[in-house]
PDB file of all heavy atoms in Angstrom:
ATOM      1  N   HIS J 452     119.614 126.027  28.554  1.00 98.00           N
ATOM      2  CA  HIS J 452     119.650 125.065  29.652  1.00 98.00           C
ATOM      3  C   HIS J 452     120.230 125.632  30.947  1.00 98.00           C
ATOM      4  O   HIS J 452     120.939 124.924  31.700  1.00 98.00           O
ATOM      5  CB  HIS J 452     120.413 123.813  29.210  1.00 98.00           C
ATOM      6  CG  HIS J 452     119.961 123.147  27.967  1.00 98.00           C
ATOM      7  ND1 HIS J 452     118.815 122.384  27.942  1.00 98.00           N
ATOM      8  CD2 HIS J 452     120.417 123.189  26.702  1.00 98.00           C
ATOM      9  CE1 HIS J 452     118.601 121.960  26.709  1.00 98.00           C
ATOM     10  NE2 HIS J 452     119.553 122.443  25.935  1.00 98.00           N
ATOM     11  N   ILE J 453     119.957 126.861  31.190  1.00 98.00           N
ATOM     12  CA  ILE J 453     120.316 127.507  32.476  1.00 98.00           C
ATOM     13  C   ILE J 453     119.607 126.898  33.623  1.00 98.00           C
ATOM     14  O   ILE J 453     118.388 126.664  33.495  1.00 98.00           O
ATOM     15  CB  ILE J 453     120.164 129.013  32.353  1.00 98.00           C
ATOM     16  CG1 ILE J 453     121.189 129.586  31.349  1.00 98.00           C
ATOM     17  CG2 ILE J 453     120.306 129.705  33.735  1.00 98.00           C
ATOM     18  CD1 ILE J 453     121.023 131.077  31.092  1.00 98.00           C
ATOM     19  N   ASP J 454     120.307 126.602  34.688  1.00 98.00           N
ATOM     20  CA  ASP J 454     119.700 125.858  35.824  1.00 98.00           C
ATOM     21  C   ASP J 454     118.747 126.669  36.721  1.00 98.00           C
ATOM     22  O   ASP J 454     117.877 126.101  37.298  1.00 98.00           O
ATOM     23  CB  ASP J 454     120.861 125.308  36.755  1.00 98.00           C
ATOM     24  CG  ASP J 454     121.626 124.265  36.085  1.00 98.00           C
ATOM     25  OD1 ASP J 454     121.262 123.727  34.982  1.00 98.00           O
ATOM     26  OD2 ASP J 454     122.656 123.839  36.679  1.00 98.00           O
ATOM     27  N   GLY J 455     118.943 127.977  36.817  1.00 98.00           N
ATOM     28  CA  GLY J 455     118.120 128.750  37.724  1.00 98.00           C
ATOM     29  C   GLY J 455     118.071 130.216  37.236  1.00 98.00           C
ATOM     30  O   GLY J 455     119.024 130.758  36.718  1.00 98.00           O
ATOM     31  N   VAL J 456     116.963 130.861  37.606  1.00 98.00           N
ATOM     32  CA  VAL J 456     116.746 132.287  37.239  1.00 98.00           C
ATOM     33  C   VAL J 456     116.309 133.052  38.527  1.00 98.00           C
ATOM     34  O   VAL J 456     115.442 132.613  39.255  1.00 98.00           O
ATOM     35  CB  VAL J 456     115.577 132.463  36.213  1.00 98.00           C
ATOM     36  CG1 VAL J 456     115.394 133.936  35.911  1.00 98.00           C
ATOM     37  CG2 VAL J 456     115.862 131.612  34.971  1.00 98.00           C
ATOM     38  N   TYR J 457     117.047 134.099  38.831  1.00 98.00           N
ATOM     39  CA  TYR J 457     116.787 134.969  39.904  1.00 98.00           C
ATOM     40  C   TYR J 457     116.521 136.396  39.320  1.00 98.00           C
ATOM     41  O   TYR J 457     117.259 136.837  38.526  1.00 98.00           O
ATOM     42  CB  TYR J 457     117.910 134.998  40.922  1.00 98.00           C
ATOM     43  CG  TYR J 457     118.225 133.627  41.479  1.00 98.00           C
ATOM     44  CD1 TYR J 457     119.139 132.815  40.837  1.00 98.00           C
ATOM     45  CD2 TYR J 457     117.573 133.179  42.618  1.00 98.00           C
ATOM     46  CE1 TYR J 457     119.420 131.535  41.342  1.00 98.00           C
ATOM     47  CE2 TYR J 457     117.822 131.909  43.145  1.00 98.00           C
ATOM     48  CZ  TYR J 457     118.778 131.105  42.440  1.00 98.00           C
ATOM     49  OH  TYR J 457     118.960 129.823  42.988  1.00 98.00           O
ATOM     50  N   TYR J 458     115.415 137.028  39.759  1.00 98.00           N
ATOM     51  CA  TYR J 458     115.106 138.314  39.241  1.00 98.00           C
ATOM     52  C   TYR J 458     114.632 139.271  40.349  1.00 98.00           C
ATOM     53  O   TYR J 458     114.123 138.788  41.400  1.00 98.00           O
ATOM     54  CB  TYR J 458     114.079 138.270  38.102  1.00 98.00           C
ATOM     55  CG  TYR J 458     112.717 137.681  38.470  1.00 98.00           C
ATOM     56  CD1 TYR J 458     111.693 138.495  38.883  1.00 98.00           C
ATOM     57  CD2 TYR J 458     112.507 136.283  38.439  1.00 98.00           C
ATOM     58  CE1 TYR J 458     110.446 137.973  39.241  1.00 98.00           C
ATOM     59  CE2 TYR J 458     111.296 135.766  38.739  1.00 98.00           C
ATOM     60  CZ  TYR J 458     110.254 136.619  39.199  1.00 98.00           C
ATOM     61  OH  TYR J 458     109.043 136.088  39.520  1.00 98.00           O
ATOM     62  N   ALA J 459     114.821 140.549  40.157  1.00 98.00           N
ATOM     63  CA  ALA J 459     114.428 141.568  41.148  1.00 98.00           C
ATOM     64  C   ALA J 459     113.052 142.059  40.894  1.00 98.00           C
ATOM     65  O   ALA J 459     112.087 141.682  41.545  1.00 98.00           O
ATOM     66  CB  ALA J 459     115.474 142.679  41.168  1.00 98.00           C
ATOM     67  N   ALA J 460     112.864 142.974  39.883  1.00 97.00           N
ATOM     68  CA  ALA J 460     111.569 143.484  39.601  1.00 97.00           C
ATOM     69  C   ALA J 460     110.763 142.436  38.819  1.00 97.00           C
ATOM     70  O   ALA J 460     111.342 141.537  38.182  1.00 97.00           O
ATOM     71  CB  ALA J 460     111.716 144.736  38.707  1.00 97.00           C
ATOM     72  N   ASP J 461     109.429 142.527  38.851  1.00 96.00           N
ATOM     73  CA  ASP J 461     108.630 141.594  38.113  1.00 96.00           C
ATOM     74  C   ASP J 461     107.967 142.232  36.911  1.00 96.00           C
ATOM     75  O   ASP J 461     108.233 143.424  36.626  1.00 96.00           O
ATOM     76  CB  ASP J 461     107.571 140.959  39.020  1.00 96.00           C
ATOM     77  CG  ASP J 461     106.499 141.873  39.498  1.00 96.00           C
ATOM     78  OD1 ASP J 461     106.328 142.994  38.961  1.00 96.00           O
ATOM     79  OD2 ASP J 461     105.769 141.417  40.475  1.00 96.00           O
ATOM     80  N   HIS J 462     107.225 141.442  36.153  1.00 94.00           N
ATOM     81  CA  HIS J 462     106.618 141.963  34.931  1.00 94.00           C
ATOM     82  C   HIS J 462     105.668 143.184  35.144  1.00 94.00           C
ATOM     83  O   HIS J 462     105.518 144.051  34.246  1.00 94.00           O
ATOM     84  CB  HIS J 462     105.962 140.854  34.113  1.00 94.00           C
ATOM     85  CG  HIS J 462     104.737 140.272  34.778  1.00 94.00           C
ATOM     86  ND1 HIS J 462     104.779 139.301  35.712  1.00 94.00           N
ATOM     87  CD2 HIS J 462     103.432 140.554  34.589  1.00 94.00           C
ATOM     88  CE1 HIS J 462     103.566 139.016  36.140  1.00 94.00           C
ATOM     89  NE2 HIS J 462     102.733 139.772  35.497  1.00 94.00           N
ATOM     90  N   LYS J 463     105.033 143.181  36.320  1.00 95.00           N
ATOM     91  CA  LYS J 463     104.166 144.367  36.582  1.00 95.00           C
ATOM     92  C   LYS J 463     105.002 145.638  36.752  1.00 95.00           C
ATOM     93  O   LYS J 463     104.613 146.707  36.323  1.00 95.00           O
ATOM     94  CB  LYS J 463     103.364 144.103  37.826  1.00 95.00           C
ATOM     95  CG  LYS J 463     102.342 142.934  37.669  1.00 95.00           C
ATOM     96  CD  LYS J 463     101.655 142.685  38.971  1.00 95.00           C
ATOM     97  CE  LYS J 463     100.844 141.344  38.846  1.00 95.00           C
ATOM     98  NZ  LYS J 463     100.358 140.896  40.133  1.00 95.00           N
ATOM     99  N   ASP J 464     106.185 145.542  37.435  1.00 96.00           N
ATOM    100  CA  ASP J 464     107.045 146.695  37.585  1.00 96.00           C
ATOM    101  C   ASP J 464     107.470 147.176  36.183  1.00 96.00           C
ATOM    102  O   ASP J 464     107.555 148.356  35.874  1.00 96.00           O
ATOM    103  CB  ASP J 464     108.267 146.341  38.411  1.00 96.00           C
ATOM    104  CG  ASP J 464     107.934 145.907  39.853  1.00 96.00           C
ATOM    105  OD1 ASP J 464     107.051 146.548  40.468  1.00 96.00           O
ATOM    106  OD2 ASP J 464     108.526 144.909  40.305  1.00 96.00           O
ATOM    107  N   ALA J 465     107.844 146.190  35.302  1.00 96.00           N
ATOM    108  CA  ALA J 465     108.267 146.578  33.984  1.00 96.00           C
ATOM    109  C   ALA J 465     107.134 147.256  33.216  1.00 96.00           C
ATOM    110  O   ALA J 465     107.369 148.244  32.503  1.00 96.00           O
ATOM    111  CB  ALA J 465     108.737 145.308  33.183  1.00 96.00           C
ATOM    112  N   ALA J 466     105.947 146.719  33.292  1.00 95.00           N
ATOM    113  CA  ALA J 466     104.763 147.324  32.615  1.00 95.00           C
ATOM    114  C   ALA J 466     104.553 148.773  33.143  1.00 95.00           C
ATOM    115  O   ALA J 466     104.278 149.628  32.305  1.00 95.00           O
ATOM    116  CB  ALA J 466     103.501 146.473  32.827  1.00 95.00           C
ATOM    117  N   ASN J 467     104.723 148.999  34.423  1.00 96.00           N
ATOM    118  CA  ASN J 467     104.514 150.321  34.962  1.00 96.00           C
ATOM    119  C   ASN J 467     105.556 151.293  34.446  1.00 96.00           C
ATOM    120  O   ASN J 467     105.345 152.545  34.397  1.00 96.00           O
ATOM    121  CB  ASN J 467     104.583 150.312  36.504  1.00 96.00           C
ATOM    122  CG  ASN J 467     103.378 149.657  37.083  1.00 96.00           C
ATOM    123  OD1 ASN J 467     102.311 149.627  36.499  1.00 96.00           O
ATOM    124  ND2 ASN J 467     103.515 149.163  38.345  1.00 96.00           N
ATOM    125  N   ALA J 468     106.705 150.819  33.947  1.00 96.00           N
ATOM    126  CA  ALA J 468     107.739 151.645  33.376  1.00 96.00           C
ATOM    127  C   ALA J 468     107.637 151.753  31.872  1.00 96.00           C
ATOM    128  O   ALA J 468     108.492 152.334  31.206  1.00 96.00           O
ATOM    129  CB  ALA J 468     109.096 151.143  33.855  1.00 96.00           C
ATOM    130  N   GLY J 469     106.604 151.082  31.301  1.00 95.00           N
ATOM    131  CA  GLY J 469     106.401 151.187  29.883  1.00 95.00           C
ATOM    132  C   GLY J 469     106.934 149.937  29.112  1.00 95.00           C
ATOM    133  O   GLY J 469     106.870 149.959  27.833  1.00 95.00           O
ATOM    134  N   PHE J 470     107.250 148.891  29.745  1.00 94.00           N
ATOM    135  CA  PHE J 470     107.683 147.683  29.127  1.00 94.00           C
ATOM    136  C   PHE J 470     106.730 146.587  29.365  1.00 94.00           C
ATOM    137  O   PHE J 470     106.940 145.764  30.252  1.00 94.00           O
ATOM    138  CB  PHE J 470     109.102 147.283  29.631  1.00 94.00           C
ATOM    139  CG  PHE J 470     110.161 148.300  29.376  1.00 94.00           C
ATOM    140  CD1 PHE J 470     110.450 149.259  30.320  1.00 94.00           C
ATOM    141  CD2 PHE J 470     110.862 148.314  28.211  1.00 94.00           C
ATOM    142  CE1 PHE J 470     111.462 150.246  30.115  1.00 94.00           C
ATOM    143  CE2 PHE J 470     111.870 149.254  27.935  1.00 94.00           C
ATOM    144  CZ  PHE J 470     112.101 150.258  28.880  1.00 94.00           C
ATOM    145  N   ASP J 471     105.649 146.549  28.711  1.00 92.00           N
ATOM    146  CA  ASP J 471     104.489 145.591  28.948  1.00 92.00           C
ATOM    147  C   ASP J 471     104.560 144.465  27.920  1.00 92.00           C
ATOM    148  O   ASP J 471     104.420 144.696  26.720  1.00 92.00           O
ATOM    149  CB  ASP J 471     103.168 146.320  28.848  1.00 92.00           C
ATOM    150  CG  ASP J 471     102.049 145.468  29.419  1.00 92.00           C
ATOM    151  OD1 ASP J 471     102.241 144.296  29.722  1.00 92.00           O
ATOM    152  OD2 ASP J 471     100.957 146.016  29.541  1.00 92.00           O
ATOM    153  N   ASP J 472     104.785 143.268  28.410  1.00 92.00           N
ATOM    154  CA  ASP J 472     104.869 142.064  27.591  1.00 92.00           C
ATOM    155  C   ASP J 472     103.576 141.249  27.535  1.00 92.00           C
ATOM    156  O   ASP J 472     103.523 140.255  26.867  1.00 92.00           O
ATOM    157  CB  ASP J 472     105.959 141.134  28.092  1.00 92.00           C
ATOM    158  CG  ASP J 472     107.337 141.755  28.071  1.00 92.00           C
ATOM    159  OD1 ASP J 472     107.535 142.659  27.197  1.00 92.00           O
ATOM    160  OD2 ASP J 472     108.148 141.406  28.941  1.00 92.00           O
ATOM    161  N   ALA J 473     102.531 141.738  28.223  1.00 91.00           N
ATOM    162  CA  ALA J 473     101.268 140.936  28.257  1.00 91.00           C
ATOM    163  C   ALA J 473     100.729 140.641  26.918  1.00 91.00           C
ATOM    164  O   ALA J 473     100.231 139.573  26.640  1.00 91.00           O
ATOM    165  CB  ALA J 473     100.267 141.697  29.092  1.00 91.00           C
ATOM    166  N   PHE J 474     100.858 141.602  25.983  1.00 94.00           N
ATOM    167  CA  PHE J 474     100.287 141.357  24.640  1.00 94.00           C
ATOM    168  C   PHE J 474     100.968 140.162  23.885  1.00 94.00           C
ATOM    169  O   PHE J 474     100.358 139.445  23.205  1.00 94.00           O
ATOM    170  CB  PHE J 474     100.369 142.613  23.731  1.00 94.00           C
ATOM    171  CG  PHE J 474     101.717 142.946  23.216  1.00 94.00           C
ATOM    172  CD1 PHE J 474     102.056 142.582  21.971  1.00 94.00           C
ATOM    173  CD2 PHE J 474     102.635 143.604  23.988  1.00 94.00           C
ATOM    174  CE1 PHE J 474     103.326 142.846  21.430  1.00 94.00           C
ATOM    175  CE2 PHE J 474     103.899 143.925  23.465  1.00 94.00           C
ATOM    176  CZ  PHE J 474     104.251 143.549  22.182  1.00 94.00           C
ATOM    177  N   ILE J 475     102.279 139.967  24.212  1.00 95.00           N
ATOM    178  CA  ILE J 475     102.981 138.850  23.588  1.00 95.00           C
ATOM    179  C   ILE J 475     102.474 137.530  24.146  1.00 95.00           C
ATOM    180  O   ILE J 475     102.248 136.577  23.428  1.00 95.00           O
ATOM    181  CB  ILE J 475     104.506 138.984  23.756  1.00 95.00           C
ATOM    182  CG1 ILE J 475     105.035 140.253  22.991  1.00 95.00           C
ATOM    183  CG2 ILE J 475     105.215 137.734  23.199  1.00 95.00           C
ATOM    184  CD1 ILE J 475     106.487 140.547  23.227  1.00 95.00           C
ATOM    185  N   TYR J 476     102.346 137.440  25.455  1.00 91.00           N
ATOM    186  CA  TYR J 476     101.851 136.218  26.055  1.00 91.00           C
ATOM    187  C   TYR J 476     100.456 135.928  25.509  1.00 91.00           C
ATOM    188  O   TYR J 476     100.077 134.763  25.235  1.00 91.00           O
ATOM    189  CB  TYR J 476     101.760 136.374  27.598  1.00 91.00           C
ATOM    190  CG  TYR J 476     103.084 136.308  28.249  1.00 91.00           C
ATOM    191  CD1 TYR J 476     103.700 137.447  28.800  1.00 91.00           C
ATOM    192  CD2 TYR J 476     103.813 135.122  28.382  1.00 91.00           C
ATOM    193  CE1 TYR J 476     104.935 137.439  29.393  1.00 91.00           C
ATOM    194  CE2 TYR J 476     105.038 135.074  28.988  1.00 91.00           C
ATOM    195  CZ  TYR J 476     105.572 136.252  29.495  1.00 91.00           C
ATOM    196  OH  TYR J 476     106.830 136.176  30.139  1.00 91.00           O
TER     197      TYR J 476
END
Side-chain angles (χ1 to χ4, degrees):
H452 304 285
I453 292 175
D454 291 351
V456 179
Y457 300 90
Y458 60 93
D461 67 14
H462 67 277
K463 293 175 189 170
D464 298 316
N467 288 336
F470 299 93
D471 193 352
D472 299 330
F474 77 97
I475 296 174
Y476 287 106

